Amino acid sequence: MTELSDVYITGAGAYLPGAPIPVERMEDHLGRIGGRDSLLGRRALRWNGVETRHYALDAQGRATHSNAGMCAQAIRAALEDAGLGPEDLQFLAAATTQGDYLVPGHAANVHGELGAGPLEIASFQSVCGSSLMAAKAAWLSVRAGEHKVAAAGASEFSSRWFRPSFYEGTALVDAKGRLRAEADFLRFTLSDGAGAVVMEPAPRPKGLSLRVKFIDLVSLAGRFDPCMWAGASVEGRTDPLATWSFTGPAAAHAQGAIALLQDFELLKRVIRAWVGVYLAKVDEGRIAPGEIDHLLCHYSARSLREEIVALLEATDGMIPEDRWFSNLRSVGNIGAASIWVMLDEFMRSDRLKPGQQVLCVVPESGRAFVGFMLLEAVG
């Protein structure tokens, strides 16, 4: 039996399109539905605590980047950080909520943009948690000795879902021109960009690397209906026979099934389930909060962080907030890319010391999923 190898993150990279857009210009950039300001949008911006974010669309709604192109840029940056180039890459796992094409998969298009030679690829399509799904594939490929250099990349081009034309003339807009909350909140929540990590069976010769101690992925889809979705109307999302069962794209658009939607009442229950999984990991000794030096927890809004903290403070699982690192305020919620963009900035912050442990947590509201990655700094 082949002996399993230790695996190290030897490089991290990020790519954020365009100049940062300040909060007061976000709706100018996305466009106003029916030409009117969104009342929910202003509240959403207060809740999420984002001050600036990036979009791969210009103010006229024209794409300035592709989803795959941003991911390729982040992978190039991660390879350069590891002292490598695209020609060294042997395995590429790419994650996103929705790629540039319905078919083929995201990884194939990222590979095309990257321009590397023949290599093995894997595509992961979910929401935020797809980042760690891709990471686990890359980790296991190196751990099993099949590849020496693997990359896990994730990218999002959410803003193209949020132009007024996605909603106007659909069942999502009422007679007064107001967009349903299930759609409107997300317009002011999600951002564009990409991040990536490189994994190898040995640490980099100079500087810090991160040994991957474990990656645990937990789906709770057996307990919950879809909480964040596209491809079904608000009323029809719980019936798998009703998804995409329209006479054509125009009919799907008219029912509001093309838009990205969120059930906020269900989200409140899903948050408690995420915390429950984490506490189970603590109880079984898989995660020891007192041994965690840095916590990188992906969350979509400052208010969500506050709710998670409130649930944890009454338990033995709370990691003190002074150990938390986040860049949500400056880059926003970039979905699957968030954890890698966060890790890249964290690695450049000089906070990390050899021997310290870093816990990355990525909850996903898609259909109730949460992933954990424990890292140890080696120098």
Side-chain angles (χ1 to χ4, degrees):
M1 183 177 178
T2 303
E3 184 176 348
L4 296 177
S5 170
D6 281 341
V7 180
Y8 301 84
I9 292 177
T10 57
Y15 184 80
L16 299 172
I21 305 298
V23 63
E24 62 270 14
R25 287 179 43 215
M26 287 179 188
E27 196 166 17
D28 293 333
H29 204 88
L30 292 174
R32 288 171 171 78
I33 296 166
R36 299 169 51 178
D37 290 349
S38 166
L39 295 177
L40 180 59
R42 289 197 289 270
R43 279 184 283 162
L45 292 172
R46 289 197 299 271
W47 291 333
N48 63 37
V50 175
E51 295 181 7
T52 57
R53 56 164 49 103
H54 295 257
Y55 292 125
L57 291 177
D58 64 20
Q60 288 72 47
R62 297 174 299 214
T64 58
H65 301 74
S66 69
N67 193 344
M70 289 188 287
C71 196
Q73 291 276 34
I75 291 170
R76 287 191 188 98
L79 286 166
E80 183 177 354
D81 188 43
L84 302 168
E87 68 279 3
D88 298 305
L89 190 60
Q90 299 172 344
F91 179 84
L92 166 63
T96 189
T97 301
Q98 177 59 62
D100 296 308
Y101 298 87
L102 297 179
V103 177
H106 188 48
N109 298 308
V110 173
H111 182 199
E113 292 288 336
L114 190 61
L119 49 77
E120 186 172 341
I121 62 172
S123 294
F124 292 86
Q125 182 273 323
S126 190
V127 193
C128 309
S130 58
S131 56
L132 289 189
M133 298 175 194
K136 187 151 191 177
W139 174 56
L140 291 176
S141 74
V142 176
R143 188 159 168 73
E146 292 200 358
H147 301 99
K148 296 294 185 182
V149 180
S155 56
E156 301 286 12
F157 193 167
S158 299
S159 64
R160 62 181 163 199
W161 296 70
F162 300 148
R163 295 293 293 175
S165 57
F166 261 76
Y167 312 102
E168 293 171 344
T170 76
L172 296 173
V173 180
D174 67 15
K176 295 182 179 180
R178 296 171 301 192
L179 182 63
R180 288 188 68 147
E182 289 90 345
D184 206 9
F185 183 83
L186 292 176
R187 298 185 77 228
F188 299 90
T189 301
L190 298 171
S191 312
D192 301 340
V197 291
V198 170
M199 297 186 185
E200 299 184 78
R204 59 200 298 173
K206 297 180 180 179
L208 289 177
S209 298
L210 293 166
R211 183 169 71 90
V212 182
K213 299 186 75 171
F214 67 73
I215 301 176
D216 289 355
L217 309 177
V218 181
S219 170
L220 301 171
R223 291 169 49 188
F224 296 97
D225 290 326
C227 183
M228 183 175 177
W229 74 96
S233 65
V234 174
E235 294 75 18
R237 81 180 194 279
T238 60
D239 181 3
L241 299 181
T243 58
W244 291 116
S245 59
F246 303 95
T247 55
H253 177 260
Q255 290 296 313
I258 301 297
L260 191 63
L261 303 166
Q262 175 93 68
D263 183 333
F264 298 102
E265 291 304 314
L266 180 56
L267 179 60
K268 295 174 184 177
R269 293 165 47 208
V270 170
I271 292 170
R272 293 191 289 270
W274 293 335
V275 172
V277 174
Y278 167 76
L279 292 175
K281 297 280 181 187
V282 172
D283 287 344
E284 67 190 35
R286 185 70 162 168
I287 296 173
E291 298 175 6
I292 303 301
D293 299 287
H294 304 280
L295 173 65
L296 276 61
C297 180
H298 166 61
Y299 45 86
S300 60
R302 181 179 55 199
S303 59
L304 184 58
R305 170 177 171 151
E306 292 169 354
E307 188 158 354
I308 292 172
V309 168
L311 289 169
L312 287 175
E313 281 184 332
T315 74
D316 292 331
M318 181 62 186
I319 297 170
E321 283 197 83
D322 60 3
R323 301 182 192 175
W324 292 41
F325 179 88
S326 173
N327 56 1
L328 178 72
R329 180 182 59 81
S330 59
V331 303
N333 172 12
I334 321 175
S338 288
I339 194 65
W340 303 141
V341 175
M342 195 188 314
L343 183 64
D344 176 64
E345 185 172 329
F346 171 73
M347 292 294 289
R348 300 176 195 284
S349 70
D350 295 326
R351 299 186 183 201
L352 187 63
K353 307 297 183 224
Q356 290 186 332
Q357 295 201 75
V358 181
L359 178 64
C360 299
V361 183
V362 182
E364 172 183 305
S365 62
R367 195 162 180 174
F369 170 95
V370 60
F372 306 89
M373 179 171 65
L374 185 62
L375 309 170
E376 181 182 14
V378 298

